Structure formats: structure tokens, C-alpha cells
Amino acid sequence: MANKLWPLACIGHESHGSHGSHGSLSPRPHYPSMPTYPKGVSGEESSAELGLEAKALFSVIGMTCSACAGSVEKAIKRLPGIREAAVDVLNNKAHVLFYPSFVNVENIRETIEDVGFGATLIDDEVNDRSTQVCRMRISGMTCTSCSSTVESALQAIHGVQKARVALATEEAEVHYDPKIVSSNQLLKTIEDTGFEGILISSGEDISKIELKVDGVCTDHSMRMVKESLQALPGIQDTIIFPELNKISLSYKPDMTGPRTFINVIDSIGSGRFKGSIYPEGGGKETHRGEEIKQYYRSFLWSLIFTIPVFLTSMVFMYIPGIKHGFDTKVVNMMSVGMLLRWVLSTPVQFIIGRRFYIGSYKALRHGSANMDVLIALGTNAAYFYSVYSVLRATTSKDFKGTDFFETSSMLISFILLGKYLEVLAKGKTSEAIAKLMDLAPETAILLTLDAEGNVVTDEEIDSRLIQKNDVIKIIPGAKVASDGFVIWGQSHINESMITGEARPVAKRKGDTVIGGTLNENGVLHIKATRVGSESALSQIVRLVESAQLAKAPVQKFADRISKYFVPLVIILSFSTWLAWFLSGKFHGYPESWIPSSMDSFELALQFGISVMVIACPCALGLATPTAVMVGTGVGASQGVLIKGGHALESAHKVNCIVFDKTGTLTLGKPLVVNTRLLKNMVLGEFYELIAATEVNSEHPLAKAIVEYGKKFREDEENPAWPEARDFVSITGHGVKAIVRNKEIMVGNKNLMLEHNIAIPVDAEEIVAEAEGMAQTGILVSIDGEVAGVLAISDPLKPGAEEAISILKSMKIRSIMVTGDNWGTANSIAKEVGIETVVAEAKPEQKAEKVKDLQAEGYKVAMVGDGINDSPALVAADVGMAIGAGTDIAIEAADIVLMKSNLEDVITAIDLSRRTFFHIRLNYIWALGYNLLGIPIAAGVLFPSTRFRLPPWIAGAAMAASSVSVVCCSLLLKYYKRPKKLDNLEIRGIRIE
């Protein structure tokens, strides 16, 4: 269920029978208004005085529709000191933010009861947020074993509810109770496990900004700036960094903003100080760039030392003149070549390869083993055996041992090259997020208006300085600087970068705009409504980032293997060495098998080291997360927001889709197409009565009736309808009210029959005729007598039939579940080619149908709007919120389709199938590589072919394995949606 709970549309209308199923047409969530301050106190005055706000959650008993929810919400908001109130009719709950100095929970509870509903305070969710989410960057992880160790350590902390650690993104997301544990304790736990943790963000409803303060010369000045900023309303936390002249602020964007902070700084000390946004740095891309440079530098340095080692042991030994020089003895049997290789390989082993010692020490200290342990063991075995050979040669006059210095130094060089290529490739997996973040423009034109709304001044500002309710000018060719709505002008805006919709969208006064989209022709003045972390762009980025942290269930397979992988490889490596050594010792194979430059011990040692370094736990660990990262990124670029690996894994198995009707299969914009009066009365008067009744409902059909009624009041844009008394919404049937002392009822046949109103044969025939044409027939009674019938049509989306046909070809069954009447539902279903229909279904019945299908063995996807359909969305294996636009139903759905296109349902399923094909390919590659590579490295082919894998080649193969897995995932970047969808567009059908 959604955690963002907004006042919902009238659920009573959801299954009105003839009033139709219009769950997917619930009104968009409205955004929190400015704080409701106590009477007589202005916003500026009260913000500082109100103090901390509190949160309370009430269970409200007796609500049946949005009219009930609306009356509860209005009553609460009338109380002094209420910050915000949102009533969730589906869960019978009311969420209230309030200021305890003006109102308490008992006042709120009594107010709800005064409206006529039962109210109970849910104690465990009162006041401060009980769960907070923080994100951290973790440095030093090399394989799944590392990420599992950190995740287990975080999960074990008291107060942590959920912890997710992603190897591919090197980030952690922790859900915790701030009253029990702090983010600093989480960071300390990460450091205790042997890794470095850096806090990226903490909390969800607080914005952060870093400011640079020029002109500061003492710590006292900095403290003075801090105290001045702390006095502002909405400031949560301030941290100063005197040595950097930097101040970090956490604040509530509803109450204040960065421009206010800079103005305050500039006004301190008679203009001595100058505030500005601190130059960006230290972000994910900066960190990734530093990591790439670090590996590149390390690889180059290792190459400088390794190339001479390789040449002296592998090349110069075959050039007679040079070979003689390197074979010259220094002390006893120690040659110049030996000494040179020892000197050159030592810095590679202990300075350049220091990272592997540190990594293995940290892992072993916590009882786990990772890739670093294998590398450290393999290179140490080669290096220290070589040192032993050199020392033996120095003290003996007849020792003829061989050194393996080239093995250790070349191993480290190849592994560093592999890590460099891997980090480079991993950086490309998150390009989608970088592109999304780059959509926001750098500057904006801020307008100052006078009391009449005329422009007084305009100035160019940094777009990060935009605050809520600012008026911004958008010129042709410029990007929209912030989410908001148009207050002046008209234009066309290209929203493809956010929604994936290629065609420009017309915008005029009152229309909403999304930050980051492109203004094409006219000039617009927009009022900023959502800034910073609240913007649609930020929400999308957060969703994609969160999705990339979420593990797919298939990842558990790699996690289970990783626990035993490294210890098993060490045992296999030791067993290989022992088997070959004992075979050589007891003449188990001919001496001719032993190369001339070695003895049986050295041959066995080479086999053992090769086994140790060819095994690659990294490839297994990266198989799933890299593919999920690229898949979710590609989806985001096409307007399909997939909520992580679990959603991807479930979607690729879907074989049955349940569609809501209105707004999903139909356009969701109902229109009155026919009116038949059964009484002798003026049509304008008839519509005045029913519009006055329906204006109290937010149901789409009600809105269609009200809009049609306005045609009879053309002189007024927003006419004042007569007062409707005793308004009641009857669940599943319709509405009734008293207007001008007449009892008006608008609804289906059941509504009339329940109130003993006779339905004339003419009326029944008109309703049947309308339903046969896929229209909704609505009966209107005045004072207990049917006075007229309305026919309302919600046109089918162009291409809906083709979309259902494509799903059939993908072997996916389509079902329609709607609250509309059977006649209309069957007509629509027949038109689009859906055979199974469930009509007149309430929201909970939709969820029951989903569960019934699951019981039959289907993997079910539910396509709806994420609000009225949320019970079914949650019950389904995959919930898809369609037509979300800027108001993304993030919590209710697993997949959010940002356009109203049915083609995106097909794209989402096809993309998930393609992603899982790549995940399987990655696992086949990673497992197959280890299953084939380890036996070859152990010398299985040696007896028959004399082929053996030198350790340095085994190390190169290990490095190549990880890079190959990441590159296989990167191929997803070239994903193209099914050609059948392109064929629809070629034929002129645009599904929307």
C-alpha cells in the first residue's frame, strides 16, 4: 500500500454499476498546502513560534467514500495548529501533522467523532517519524562476500529494520529507528567491518544544502553565521566546517530555502560576508572517477616494475648474449636475473598490492573470506617460495631452484587491469541516473511580481536557489527549471526526457509542468510547487537508485554460494598442490612430464596457485546487480520505472494481466454524449439540479456531468451551483442530495430500486441501448420519479485492441476487472478482444479476483492507477501503475508507467524478460567459467596434452571473467522494444 496517503476519490462510486468503475480515474494526489497557522498569526511569525511538529495516526471507523474522507479532513484542517491532514478511506486511517502547542491528539479525535465517525489513536505511530532512511557509500568491497558481511553487520544493529547493500553501486540503504540508533553508529559499524562508509543522505522529508561563506576570518565569525541561520524557521540542523568556510544545512523546503540562507549570510556584519552554494564534489560520479584514476595509476606503476620482471624470466632467457649476462652468479648460485626480479617484484607485492593485504585482513578479521584472500594467498605463495629459492641459491653452491617472481607481479598487474576495466564498466551501468540528473538546468529566470501580478523585475539565478512558490520565466528553447504550474502564457513542452512521450504537450494557464522538460515555442511563467528533493526528477532518480539497491530473489543464489566459495577454493587449491606433489614424490607420473626449469614441488605449486587465482567470486557477485542496474536504467529512459530486482524477476514470469477499464483501456476522460428527459422540464434546469448534486463528488463521471452542466451557464467559468443539502454517496450505487427542496438521486438501477423508485420501460431501454454502445447509462430521479437518463461515453484508447493482441502473441492472458456495469464492460471487452470480464467489482473484489487467479497458478500483473486499484496492485505479483505522469504512485506499484500508453505494459514485460536472459547468461558464464577453469588450472588436461595454465594467465582469466559479466550486462543498454510496437506506429496507431 502506498505510504503517501492523499485524500482519495469517492470509492463509493468505484462500483456504481451504471456509474462505472473509475478507480483509475481518481483525481491526482493534491500536494500539501502551506502550513495552516492558528488564526491571527501569520506564516512568518508562527513558524518560529510553533516549535516542533508532531505526527499522529488515527483509525477512523465508518467511512464509506471520499465524501466521508473529505468531511473528516476538512473538519481536522479547521482546527488551529494543524500543519497537514490526509485521510485514507481505503485503510480507514487519518494522518495528521500538527503543532502540540496549539492542539493535541484528544482535540483531533473529538473533532473526528463530532463529524460522525469513530476515531482511535494508534499509539505506536504518534509524533516523530518512527522510521528513517539513510543512504551510504561503502568503499573497499570486492565481492558478494564483502557486501553480505556489511549487510549482516548492519542488520544485526538494534533499531535497524532493513538494510540493503549493493556491490555493483557500492552503496547501502538502511531503514532504522532514529530514536534507537543514529546514522553515525551505522557508519561506525561499517568501519568496524573493515570498510569505509560515507553518508550520502539521511531522512526523506528534509532537504540538505552546503553553502560557502566568503569573508570569514575567525571561528567566532563562522559561529555567528551559524546562529543567524539557526534562528530561521524550518532549519533542522547546521554543521560548520571552519577550515573550509563551509556550512551544511538541513531544512524543510515548505518553510524556507537556499536563497533565504544566502540573503541572511549577506546581511550579517554590514555585508562583510558573502554566501554562495558550495562547489559540487564528492558525489557518486566524483567518487567513481577517483576510483578509476586510482586503479589506473596502480596498474601503470605495477606495469613499470612487472614488464622488466617478465622480460628477464620469459624473453631474455632465450636470447643467448643477454641470457649469459642475467645468468651471471652474484653469490654462490644466486644470479643477476634472480636478484633483479626480487628487487623489482617486491614493491609490486607489498606497495602496489597492499590493497589485497588490507582487504583480506579485514575479511578474515570478521570470519569471512573474499577475493582479496585468494589473491593474497596466491601471490604470497609464489613470492615467498621465490624468496626461499633465492636464499637457498645464495647459501648453496649446487642448488638449481626456480623463482616465480613473474607469477606474483604479473598476477597483481593483471588483476589491477581487470579491476580498472570492471570499475570503468560498472560506471557505465549507472549512466541512466547521470543523464536524468543532468536534465535539470543550471540557471533559471526568477520573476518578482507586484500585488496585481505584473512583472516588476527579473534576474538570472542558480536553479538550485529556487524556492517553493517562486515565479519562474521559461523562454523558448530553455528547460523548465522546476515542477510547478503555468500562471501565464502558453506553449508546447517536450516531456520525452521524463515521460518518454515524443510528442510535445500543449501547456496553458493552470497546467502542470515538470522540471527538466524542454519548452519549445512560447514564453511561460510558472509557479514552483515542488523543489529540490520533492521534484518529479528527484523522485525518479531516487526510485531508480533504490531499484538498483534492491536485490532480485535470484541474487540469493549467488549470496549462498559466496559463503562457501572462497574456503572451498582454498581447499581445492591445497588439495591440487598436495595431489601433484605426492604424485611426483612417489613417482606417480613420468619425470619427463616435469619441465626442465622445475622440480615436482614447483610444478605442484604452480598448479595449486593457478587453481587459487582462476576462481572468481566477483563474477558471480556481479551477475545479477549489474544487469538489474542497466535494466532499470534503460526502463527509466523509456518511461518505465521498475522498482528493483524483485519487480524485474516477477515481471518476466507474468502470464496473466488484469486490466482496470477506465483510464487504462479507455482514455479516462468521460463525456456526456446523450441526454433523454422523461419529464417535461427545461434541460438547463435539469442539469442545474444534477450538477449541484454531483459537484460534491470527485468521481470522473460526476465531473463529466458538472462540466456538461457548465454549457448551460456559458457566461460563468466556475458557476455557483445551488446548495446541496444532506449529500450522501451510496457505495456501489450513486449519490443523492436535497437541492432546492427537491430530492435528487443520480446513479444506477440498484439505487432506484433500493429507494422503491419505479423505472419506466423507456428508461430501461435507453440504458440497455447505451450499454450496448459501450456507454454508461445513468438514471436521474427527482422527488422519487425517474426524470431522465444520461449516456456517458469513455472512448477506447487507440491501439488498445492491437496491444491486447500482442500480449496474446506473447502467451499472456488478458482479463478486465471493472466496477462498471456488465453491459458496458462486455462491450469494451469485445471491442479490445478480452474474453474474460469481471464487472461491478468493488476495490476489494478486484484484489480477490487477483488472488483467485494466483491460486489457479497464474503469475498475475495488475494494471491500474495505484490509488483506487491499490488493493489489487498490492495483491498482484506485479503491480503496474499506468498514467502516473508527474504524480508517481511509487509505493503502491512495483512498476510505474509514466505515460498512459498500453505499449509500456508490453515494454515492461519484454524488458524484464530480456534482463533475465542476461542474468542467466551472466550466471552461465560465471559458473561455467569456474567449473571449467578450475579443473584446467588443476592440471586435468596436463597428463594427456601437457597443457598447463601458468598462474599469471589464470589471474588474467579471473580478471577477464568479471569484466565479461559486466560487459554482458552492458549489452542491455542497446535494448530495443518489440518490433511489433514499432509496426503499430508505422501503421499510424499511437497507443496512448
Side-chain angles (χ1 to χ4, degrees), residues 377-391:
L377 282 172
T379 56
N380 278 338
Y383 178 83
F384 285 108
Y385 176 75
S386 302
V387 170
Y388 162 77
S389 296
V390 172
L391 293 177

Side-chain angles (χ1 to χ4, degrees), residues 545-565:
E545 285 180 334
S546 184
Q548 294 180 347
L549 277 167
K551 287 183 181 177
V554 72
Q555 176 71 24
K556 292 174 185 173
F557 170 68
D559 291 348
R560 279 196 298 270
I561 291 176
S562 70
K563 288 181 184 176
Y564 312 105
F565 190 89

Side-chain angles (χ1 to χ4, degrees), residues 422-637:
E422 184 187 313
V423 173
L424 207 61
K426 271 173 25 183
K428 293 184 185 295
T429 61
S430 56
E431 274 183 356
I433 291 180
K435 284 178 182 174
L436 281 170
M437 294 176 86
D438 287 342
L439 289 177
E442 291 183 4
T443 60
I445 301 171
L446 177 69
L447 300 179
T448 307
L449 307 181
D450 61 19
E452 283 77 40
N454 300 313
V455 177
V456 179
T457 60
D458 61 29
E459 62 171 317
E460 191 171 70
I461 61 167
D462 189 313
S463 62
R464 291 171 294 174
L465 295 176
I466 296 173
Q467 296 182 187
K468 210 163 190 174
N469 298 318
D470 279 347
V471 177
I472 308 295
K473 180 181 179 182
I474 315 295
I475 59 173
K479 287 181 179 178
V480 176
S482 165
D483 289 10
F485 62 89
V486 179
I487 59 170
W488 179 87
Q490 56 185 35
S491 180
H492 285 80
I493 288 185
N494 186 332
E495 298 182 341
S496 60
M497 59 281 289
I498 300 288
T499 66
E501 175 57 71
R503 293 182 303 175
V505 182
K507 300 288 180 181
R508 54 178 59 84
K509 187 177 178 181
D511 289 340
T512 56
V513 292
I514 314 169
T517 54
L518 186 68
N519 183 25
E520 295 211 334
N521 39 37
V523 177
L524 295 175
H525 292 176
I526 66 158
K527 190 167 192 175
T529 54
R530 297 192 295 174
V531 296
S533 60
E534 290 183 329
S535 69
L537 195 58
S538 296
Q539 283 189 31
I540 294 168
V541 169
R542 268 204 308 276
L543 174 64
V544 178
E545 285 180 334
S546 184
Q548 294 180 347
L549 277 167
K551 287 183 181 177
V554 72
Q555 176 71 24
K556 292 174 185 173
F557 170 68
D559 291 348
R560 279 196 298 270
I561 291 176
S562 70
K563 288 181 184 176
Y564 312 105
F565 190 89
V566 174
L568 184 64
V569 167
I570 293 168
I571 292 166
L572 283 172
S573 174
F574 180 75
S575 303
T576 301
W577 169 78
L578 192 64
W580 279 101
F581 174 65
L582 292 175
S583 298
K585 198 78 174 169
F586 297 105
H587 308 290
Y589 58 82
E591 285 190 20
S592 60
W593 286 13
I594 305 171
S596 57
S597 59
M598 297 184 193
D599 59 23
S600 61
F601 175 84
E602 290 165 347
L603 180 65
L605 185 66
Q606 284 233 338
F607 281 127
I609 293 171
S610 292
V611 168
M612 193 171 290
V613 296
I614 200 169
C616 186
C618 285
L620 271 173
L622 292 169
T624 300
T626 51
V628 169
M629 280 177 74
V630 181
T632 50
V634 167
S637 68

